[in-house]
Amino acid sequence: MLNFNFYNPTEIFFGEGQIAEITKAIPSEAKVLVVYGGGSIHKNGIYEQVSAALSEFNWGEFAGIEPNPTYQTCMQAVEKIKAEEFNYILAVGGGSVIDGSKFIAAAANFEGEPWDILSKGAEVKSALPIGVVLTLPATGSESNSFSVVSNSETHDKLPFASILVQPKFAVLDPKVMETLPTRQLTNGVVDAFVHTMEQYLTYPVDAKVQDRFAEGLLMTLMEEGPKLLSDDVDYKTRANVMWSATMALNGLIGAGVPQDWATHMIGHEITAVYGLDHAQTLAIILPRMMLEQKEHKREKLLQYAERVLGLDISDEEQAIASAIEMTEQFFHRVDMKTRLSDYGVDEEAVDKITDQLERHGMTALGEQQAVTLDKSRQIIAASL
Ligand code: NZQ
Ligand code: ZN
């Protein structure tokens, strides 16, 4: 096992009715800016629950954070914060609202041009505190320190990380999933699955706990994910998927193990250029990444085949081929497409996405830096 520091300071309130807990979780003297997206929270009762919980607080709101949050929209919230002296952010939404809120929290206290946090890795020295009411289980953003923000003018989609923007608390009420459209349920299952794979499907370092936790998450998502799309989906299924998505990217399974993230880096470029949903890009790239990297990932691929998929691995080549095929089939079982052409993206994407990767210095991706620009090009071409 590799050395690691593990620290996750986000308090989780899990279960039905837990939105009311924000009354106790936010300091009573705070001036709270509630940040949300395009308005789904007005249609499903979440806004009412949040306003009831904040009834004794001094608070205001900023709506309109879009999927794949933009720097431009976030900066409008920063202006509001400065003008009206808010000192606490409550993000109510999915990964986009949470990521946007993290950037807003850092930008509000930043001296200089906040875009530098994303484009130049400028250090975040201070940030407003953030609380979260999660409405879409997918990204794990509710209890990690990562954020991904896009620039609508330059077509950059860039990440930053700072412990200072990690949420103080996150409310996870599986009931909020009742109003999620199939597309977002699908996105959530696939994103959580691929997060787990990015931290599991590398090379072995004898990290038995991390491996078995990761395998538990993969198996849970494969078992419960498809049930989310059925008519008789129940609270138990929603709860299991919601908790899996948080656990997939809260630092625990990634501590002390090598991490990949090549699929994500290529995926971010596809979203930046073609606007596909984040998880849609992952389902396209991952199967091709597994195939291209199968020698580097051989031992873990076989472990995945045997332990997660229950395959006989005596014929190793066959087992690896089946494991990759079953992964893609799982994406289909949750109604996810797995080809660029399914979204009308044609071969011009091969050059465009490769150029984007080069521009962002993504020329040696993966746990062994084995995904060179040339390999990325091949993976994208194989994903058409
Ligand atoms: O904006 P509203 O009206 O709220 O609608 C949203 C949005 O249109 C809707 N929605 C959310 N909760 C709902 C709901 N609709 C009905 N009922 C509800 N309960 O869903 C749509 C998509 O929301 P979004 O937040 O964009 O989705 P997701 O949670 O998948 O977040 C994706 C973003 O997170 C980033 C992605 O790159 C992408 O920008 N990621 C963040 C990560 C992190 N911070 O750790 C890691 C990930 O790998 C990922 O990169
Ligand atoms: Zn992701």
Side-chain angles (χ1 to χ4, degrees):
M1 199 183 303
L2 310 177
N3 288 2
F4 65 88
N5 294 5
F6 176 66
Y7 174 60
N8 187 317
T10 304
E11 182 173 10
I12 301 288
F13 299 100
F14 192 97
E16 196 171 345
Q18 292 278 50
I19 293 177
E21 289 297 306
I22 64 180
T23 311
K24 286 181 250 157
I26 300 176
S28 55
E29 69 282 6
K31 183 169 182 188
V32 184
L33 183 65
V34 174
V35 175
Y36 59 96
S40 69
I41 66 167
H42 282 295
K43 294 183 204 135
N44 57 17
I46 296 173
Y47 183 87
E48 283 72 22
Q49 289 184 65
V50 168
S51 352
L54 292 178
S55 60
E56 301 294 315
F57 285 81
N58 183 0
W59 67 282
E61 59 188 76
F62 181 87
I65 302 286
E66 57 278 86
N68 307 307
T70 66
Y71 164 77
Q72 285 78 9
T73 303
C74 290
M75 288 309 290
Q76 291 172 21
V78 171
E79 273 174 36
K80 185 175 171 79
I81 285 172
K82 287 186 173 167
E84 298 173 41
E85 299 185 335
F86 289 97
N87 56 22
Y88 200 104
I89 295 176
L90 181 64
V92 185
S96 295
V97 167
I98 304 167
D99 283 10
S101 296
K102 287 173 173 175
F103 180 72
I104 293 164
N109 286 6
F110 192 78
E111 283 174 23
E113 168 51 64
W115 179 246
D116 290 351
I117 298 170
L118 297 153
S119 65
K120 298 185 183 156
E123 189 190 351
V124 174
K125 294 190 180 136
S126 135
L128 298 185
I130 302 172
V132 168
V133 175
L134 182 68
T135 66
L136 196 179
T139 62
S141 185
E142 65 279 5
S143 79
N144 69 36
S145 51
F146 310 120
S147 163
V148 193
V149 173
S150 299
N151 190 318
S152 53
E153 286 161 17
T154 58
H155 292 293
D156 290 314
K157 178 170 182 174
L158 298 171
F160 82 100
S162 166
I163 191 69
L164 297 174
V165 299
Q166 173 141 356
K168 304 290 175 210
F169 69 86
V171 179
L172 276 60
D173 178 349
K175 288 274 290 173
V176 303
M177 295 167 69
E178 287 174 7
T179 55
L180 279 170
T182 304
R183 170 170 159 189
Q184 301 306 341
L185 292 169
T186 297
N187 283 347
V189 170
V190 171
D191 196 21
F193 186 89
V194 180
H195 291 162
T196 311
M197 290 292 253
E198 299 268 30
Q199 299 161 88
Y200 170 75
L201 199 69
T202 57
Y203 55 86
V205 290
D206 205 28
K208 292 179 189 293
V209 175
Q210 292 90 325
D211 277 4
R212 290 198 165 100
F213 276 177
E215 286 156 2
L217 295 174
L218 296 172
M219 292 167 86
T220 304
L221 289 164
M222 283 183 146
E223 200 171 281
E224 300 298 303
K227 292 186 200 165
L228 273 187
L229 309 187
S230 74
D231 290 339
D232 57 351
V233 51
D234 58 14
Y235 177 86
K236 287 181 282 186
T237 289
R238 293 191 178 108
N240 279 304
V241 171
M242 191 170 227
W243 189 225
S244 297
T246 298
M247 290 293 289
L249 199 48
N250 67 356
L252 188 68
I253 62 166
V257 297
Q259 300 193 15
D260 181 341
W261 300 106
T263 296
H264 266 72
M265 293 308 120
I266 299 176
H268 286 170
E269 303 297 2
I270 298 173
T271 299
V273 177
Y274 294 103
L276 269 65
D277 292 351
H278 171 62
Q280 292 171 343
T281 69
L282 306 178
I284 291 167
I285 296 299
L286 183 73
R288 264 51 71 183
M289 181 68 72
M290 291 167 85
L291 187 61
E292 211 293 322
Q293 290 289 291
K294 75 174 181 178
E295 291 313 324
H296 292 287
K297 295 179 180 296
R298 188 170 194 87
E299 286 176 74
K300 289 307 270 297
L301 266 170
L302 289 167
Q303 184 177 324
Y304 168 66
E306 185 171 41
R307 293 209 213 163
V308 177
L309 303 173
L311 294 172
D312 172 0
I313 59 164
S314 48
D315 179 342
E316 294 191 355
E317 282 310 307
Q318 181 55 49
I320 289 173
S322 299
I324 297 171
E325 199 183 319
M326 285 171 76
T327 305
E328 192 162 358
Q329 281 166 0
F330 164 62
F331 294 151
H332 295 157
R333 277 203 290 137
V334 289
D335 234 5
M336 180 61 101
K337 298 182 167 81
T338 55
R339 291 281 167 184
L340 282 167
S341 52
D342 292 330
Y343 300 95
V345 174
D346 60 22
E347 54 270 22
E348 66 153 41
V350 180
D351 280 341
K352 273 200 175 169
I353 303 304
T354 314
D355 288 351
Q356 288 269 119
L357 287 166
E358 188 168 23
R359 187 158 69 82
H360 292 137
M362 306 276 178
T363 52
L365 300 172
E367 70 278 3
Q368 307 191 68
Q369 291 82 52
V371 187
T372 58
L373 214 50
D374 211 38
K375 299 262 191 265
S376 289
R377 175 188 292 279
Q378 288 168 29
I379 289 166
I380 299 158
S383 303
L384 287 168

